[in-house]
Amino acid sequence: FAQTVAKEIESSGVRSYLFCPAGMNTPMREDLFGDASQQQEPNAVADIIVNVLCGSPELPHGAEVIVKEGEIVHVERSRVF
């Protein structure tokens, strides 16, 4: 779905990304797994998203962005672009 959206809006000037955060320190994570304190903070992931949307780092349109331990650990863009 994310790749389809990215392809559809490619010529519009609007950029599209798929953010995939690893485990998050949330109450739901604590309830399900009991290890929330060992996971990344939601604010750290939110900061990364804001920075990418502001262009730093500049990532390719349609990229899948893996976030782990409060850092971007992998960026991949589908071959359909």
Side-chain angles (χ1 to χ4, degrees):
F1 180 74
Q3 291 176 0
T4 301
V5 169
K7 194 67 173 167
E8 282 285 322
I9 66 172
E10 188 172 25
S11 63
S12 72
V14 175
R15 301 185 68 75
S16 172
Y17 305 99
L18 173 61
F19 288 93
C20 304
M24 304 281 285
N25 183 354
T26 64
M28 186 172 95
R29 176 77 187 207
E30 187 60 33
D31 290 346
L32 291 172
F33 302 106
D35 67 349
S37 65
Q38 300 168 10
Q39 306 302 316
Q40 61 188 340
E41 291 298 322
N43 287 341
V45 175
D47 287 345
I48 289 169
I49 293 169
V50 168
N51 289 337
V52 168
L53 295 177
C54 290
S56 179
E58 187 174 325
L59 300 178
H61 168 69
E64 176 181 315
V65 183
I66 309 295
V67 180
K68 187 174 182 179
E69 297 178 7
E71 297 181 12
I72 295 174
V73 295
H74 184 75
V75 176
E76 185 171 324
R77 185 174 180 198
S78 171
R79 289 184 233 140
V80 299
F81 285 95

